[in-house]
Amino acid sequence: MTKRQVWWGKLLSKPVQVIIDLGVLASAFSFAYLLRFEFSLPPSELSRFVSQLPAVVGLHLACFALWGIYSFIWRYVGIAEISTFAGANLSAAVPLLLARFLLPGDLHVWRVPLSIIILNGLLAFSGVIGVRVLRRVIHERFERHQNMRRGNHAEAKPVLLIGAGRAGVLAVREVIGRGDLPIDVKGFVDDDPLKQGTVVNGIKVLGTTADLANLVRGLEIDHVIITIANASRREIRRIVDLCESVPVRARIIPGLYEILDGRVAISTIRDVQIEDLLGREPVRLEEDLLHGWIGGRTVLVSGAGGSIGSELVRQTLRFKPKTVVLVERSEFALYTIHEEIANRPDGIEVVPALADITDKLRMREIFASHKPDVVLHAAAHKHVPMIEWNPIEAVKNNALATRSFGELAAEFGAPVFVLISTDKAVNPTSVMGTTKRLAELVIQDLDSRSETRFVAVRFGNVLGSTGSVVPKFRTQIASGGPVTVTHPEMKRYFMTIPEAAQLVLQAGAMGEGGEIFILDMGEPVKIVDLARDMISLSGFRPDEDIEIAFTGLRPGEKLFEELEISGESVLRTRHPKILIGRISPADPDELDQGLGRLEVLARTGDGEGAVRLLAKLVPESRLTASGPLRLEPGKIEKTRPALLPAS
């Protein structure tokens, strides 16, 4: 810590703040008296002033303390804090007014003149606010100077900010307040006609997005930054397309809700990503319901190191559980999520449990030790072609382990068990989808014979999740292409990882038992359009700089994913993004016998038999088998037909 920082720390301490306020309040009262008597106090009034001064100043300081003025961090004094200052000043004026009108004449020495009470209130309010503003300005200049000295001294690039709303104000305030960001804000662009020509934090609104091309050329703009809080997918795409037509590079700040959650800083300006174009409005959660469901309880998350599991952990922590148990078989994945959330100041206990959910003895030990109240089951094998090559592993992990895991939850009295399912479980054409559909049937069966509430939540692809198409495309673009798409007509549903995790928690809290919840995924997206967008956002031209190659459907894949099984009764819930699929459960005896036979086939490694039995256990499956797939050098050879003709 430098000498200047030590000096600032002393200057901003609470005792020094009180001393400064003492001087301001004394000066305000003195000046009010001087104004009242036109700077010529009669001896009698001087005597009364001397008697009243300590009482009035002490009254103000007491009101400041009662209103919590000295708990404010002076750097962040805003409208809400200013209203508190006004309330404290009015509180101090009330006793003075009462004394002025109620005290008898022989106590006139304590009766402050009405004009002085009003003048003193105005001067005191202006003085204490003015001092704090002055201290803030001085400190920010000092901080900006320090940042500039530490910065890389890169030449500031001229930029335009698109959006002069709340997020734009926050962005320009931080950019101006810092000196290490190589950005020279030339102005705002905003489509609101009422903002045209106005000035926001010293930065002028220069025009609308229709004027963007002229502004970019006239001001020699290097890039534009989208500063619209929670901009819709359609709005971001419109702006990105407009920037490409100018052309000028488009960048973006994080969504305002991310900033307010403390997950990112306003100055985290980044390139527009595919998640911005495919993202949707922030999920609105029933916060009270989730606090009641999770708060103070023990939550166990399986697959806690995966993309969905780790986000479930993060979202769960928002609702203040007592303990979170992280079950994960990948040591590195477990280490990563544990390092991120361990040593929390809120006192939430985080338990890393390195374990495989197929290990029944280890799972029993974990349930016996922690007795979880909420079980979020995200552990699964999910990569479709990989599972086609290794069907036995999917049977063990996705189906059999779900049954044993659920049975332990029921045995140890967990009130709620939530299975993370997939749209690939609908009329499944792959081993992966069929095993996940079987897992849904398993939890319905467990719900029918247990006090534990078992529910499943089904959704489509998640942007950026492990093994998903987005990271794959990013890698292919970085290596110069080609970007490989299986089929020009292939479509998929997409949602962001945080949205999926939040809706899982919401559905789990709403569930009464036995439901298969279906998340509203919006409109499906063509994978080839996704590839073109990602290439363009990376600064390349599709089919010119980066080639798009079509490779054909892989084993077990569909052109279109479904979210409902034909004949399902789909009901709406009170949450606009969550539906319920009323799906008939399997016959308990047939399911139990089938799972027993599957377990034998899994132990003996009979992949062909396991696939054939899966097709029988899941009636809507379009899977058949004459043998598993095998991988040969340089190619995939099918030794069984993966699809039956659609009926």
Side-chain angles (χ1 to χ4, degrees):
M1 185 177 290
T2 66
K3 291 182 179 179
R4 283 188 179 183
Q5 289 172 320
V6 172
W7 179 77
W8 268 110
K10 290 179 179 178
L11 179 62
L12 302 178
S13 65
K14 288 183 180 179
V16 172
Q17 291 182 43
V18 173
I19 291 170
I20 292 173
D21 285 345
L22 185 66
V24 170
L25 295 170
S27 300
F29 190 66
S30 302
F31 197 58
Y33 247 99
L34 290 171
L35 287 175
R36 167 67 176 77
F37 293 101
E38 298 181 354
F39 293 89
S40 180
L41 266 68
S44 59
E45 294 299 334
L46 179 61
S47 173
R48 188 157 64 151
F49 161 73
V50 172
S51 299
Q52 293 171 356
L53 177 63
V56 171
V57 172
L59 178 63
H60 268 88
L61 289 175
C63 288
F64 283 5
L66 288 173
W67 279 73
I69 296 297
Y70 296 111
S71 65
F72 294 159
I73 299 175
W74 64 271
R75 280 199 64 190
Y76 304 107
V77 172
I79 298 298
E81 290 77 16
I82 288 175
S83 64
T84 305
F85 277 99
N89 273 284
L90 288 173
S91 299
V94 169
L96 298 178
L97 290 170
L98 292 175
R100 173 69 182 83
F101 292 111
L102 299 179
L103 287 179
D106 56 346
L107 294 176
H108 70 280
V109 69
W110 301 112
R111 297 173 64 191
V112 180
L114 184 60
S115 60
I116 293 178
I117 294 174
I118 296 172
L119 282 170
N120 176 63
L122 293 173
L123 292 170
F125 176 75
S126 303
V128 294
I129 293 295
V131 164
R132 282 160 173 76
V133 171
L134 178 63
R135 288 161 64 197
R136 176 172 179 168
V137 168
I138 293 172
H139 182 78
E140 286 184 351
R141 286 186 177 179
F142 165 73
E143 189 177 58
R144 185 161 60 247
H145 176 69
Q146 291 295 101
N147 286 335
M148 289 179 67
R149 292 179 61 185
R150 290 194 297 265
N152 56 17
H153 306 290
E155 183 179 351
K157 296 178 179 179
V159 303
L160 288 173
L161 304 185
I162 300 182
R166 187 177 177 190
V169 171
L170 288 172
V172 79
R173 188 177 295 167
E174 181 162 343
V175 168
I176 292 173
R178 294 179 55 168
D180 57 343
L181 297 177
I183 292 173
D184 178 14
V185 180
K186 293 296 185 181
F188 279 107
V189 172
D190 198 293
D191 287 334
D192 185 349
L194 297 178
K195 291 178 182 175
Q196 300 308 308
T198 59
V199 177
V200 179
N201 269 60
I203 304 298
K204 189 174 182 180
V205 180
L206 300 175
T208 67
T209 52
D211 305 312
L212 187 61
N214 292 332
L215 290 171
V216 167
R217 285 191 290 268
L219 298 172
E220 298 181 344
I221 297 301
D222 180 79
H223 61 275
V224 302
I225 302 172
I226 302 171
T227 55
I228 304 173
N230 299 332
S232 67
R233 175 179 69 180
R234 182 175 298 174
E235 181 69 5
I236 294 176
R237 179 174 288 281
R238 183 184 73 84
I239 295 171
V240 169
D241 290 344
L242 184 61
C243 291
E244 288 179 358
S245 68
V246 170
V248 66
R249 181 184 178 196
R251 307 187 76 198
I252 196 169
I253 65 165
L256 187 63
Y257 69 99
E258 293 176 303
I259 297 164
L260 297 180
D261 279 350
R263 286 186 278 163
V264 290
I266 192 77
S267 56
T268 310
I269 300 167
R270 56 170 172 77
D271 291 332
V272 178
Q273 297 172 355
I274 194 64
E275 289 84 351
D276 298 310
L277 298 184
L278 297 181
R280 300 186 287 167
E281 295 301 313
V283 176
R284 285 176 172 79
L285 301 176
E286 296 178 357
E287 303 274 343
D288 292 340
L289 176 67
L290 289 169
H291 275 292
W293 185 52
I294 292 174
R297 289 173 165 78
T298 297
V299 179
L300 185 152
V301 182
S302 73
S307 47
I308 299 298
S310 60
E311 187 63 26
L312 282 172
V313 172
R314 296 183 194 99
Q315 296 293 339
T316 296
L317 292 171
R318 292 174 52 194
F319 303 102
K320 303 294 183 277
K322 181 185 73 173
T323 305
V324 177
V325 182
L326 314 177
V327 176
E328 173 60 57
R329 72 178 185 179
S330 165
E331 181 185 18
F332 179 73
L334 181 62
Y335 167 80
T336 302
I337 184 62
H338 182 254
E339 280 293 295
E340 178 185 331
I341 66 173
N343 303 316
R344 298 179 57 82
D346 52 19
I348 298 174
E349 182 184 13
V350 179
V351 180
L354 187 62
D356 188 327
I357 62 165
T358 62
D359 185 340
K360 296 179 183 179
L361 291 178
R362 175 68 170 132
M363 290 301 105
R364 175 173 291 279
E365 175 191 329
I366 291 171
F367 272 90
S369 298
H370 301 288
K371 295 182 173 59
D373 302 293
V374 176
V375 179
L376 304 176
H377 182 34
H381 289 317
K382 63 178 186 177
H383 193 270
V384 172
M386 190 63 66
I387 298 309
E388 293 297 307
W389 297 329
N390 301 279
I392 288 296
E393 294 307 308
V395 167
K396 292 191 294 186
N397 201 43
N398 294 358
L400 298 176
T402 295
R403 180 179 65 164
S404 60
F405 204 58
E407 288 172 342
L408 285 170
E411 179 183 342
F412 286 93
V416 185
F417 183 104
V418 181
L419 167 71
I420 309 302
S421 191
T422 170
D423 57 357
K424 293 176 178 61
V426 184
N427 298 322
T429 60
S430 64
V431 174
M432 182 272 191
T434 305
T435 55
K436 292 299 285 186
R437 176 69 187 119
L438 185 56
E440 292 179 350
L441 295 173
V442 164
I443 66 106
Q444 283 184 305
D445 177 63
L446 289 170
D447 183 76
S448 68
R449 51 189 176 90
S450 167
E451 294 297 318
T452 298
R453 289 187 290 119
F454 286 87
V455 301
V457 183
R458 182 191 289 171
F459 52 87
N461 295 274
V462 178
L463 287 168
S465 62
T466 306
S468 73
V469 70
V470 171
K472 175 184 175 182
F473 282 176
R474 284 197 180 116
T475 301
Q476 290 176 335
I477 292 168
S479 62
V483 171
T484 56
V485 177
T486 52
H487 193 283
E489 295 301 319
M490 177 174 276
K491 292 183 179 180
R492 290 292 182 266
Y493 293 96
F494 287 99
M495 63 172 25
T496 64
I497 293 176
E499 182 182 13
Q502 290 167 12
L503 287 173
V504 165
L505 295 184
Q506 178 72 50
M510 291 166 52
E512 297 178 1
E515 301 99 333
I516 295 179
F517 289 100
I518 302 169
L519 303 188
D520 176 8
M521 299 292 296
E523 295 298 319
V525 176
K526 270 191 174 183
I527 301 300
V528 67
D529 291 341
L530 179 75
R532 294 183 189 281
D533 283 336
M534 290 189 65
I535 293 169
S536 297
L537 291 175
S538 301
F540 301 104
R541 291 166 297 180
D543 301 316
E544 295 183 31
D545 301 323
I546 300 287
E547 178 191 357
I548 296 177
F550 296 102
T551 60
L553 287 175
R554 296 175 297 178
E557 284 188 323
K558 303 180 187 177
L559 276 182
F560 312 102
E561 294 293 359
E562 307 155 88
L563 287 172
E564 304 167 22
I565 294 175
S566 177
E568 288 181 12
S569 173
V570 179
L571 305 177
R572 290 212 164 267
T573 69
R574 62 178 182 268
H575 195 285
K577 291 188 177 182
I578 300 176
L579 309 172
I580 297 177
R582 293 291 186 183
I583 305 170
S584 300
D587 178 89
D589 293 333
E590 288 183 8
L591 182 65
D592 188 59
Q593 292 173 12
L595 290 170
R597 289 163 57 198
L598 264 183
E599 194 163 2
V600 172
L601 293 170
R603 280 201 304 267
T604 59
D606 185 354
E608 177 184 344
V611 171
R612 192 161 44 243
L613 181 55
L614 278 174
K616 292 181 180 178
L617 287 174
V618 179
E620 66 271 21
S621 172
R622 299 173 187 176
L623 190 67
T624 185
S626 60
L629 298 180
R630 66 174 184 270
L631 182 65
E632 293 187 357
K635 66 176 182 177
I636 302 170
E637 180 181 338
K638 288 176 60 176
T639 58
R640 65 171 173 84
L643 304 179
L644 289 175
S647 57

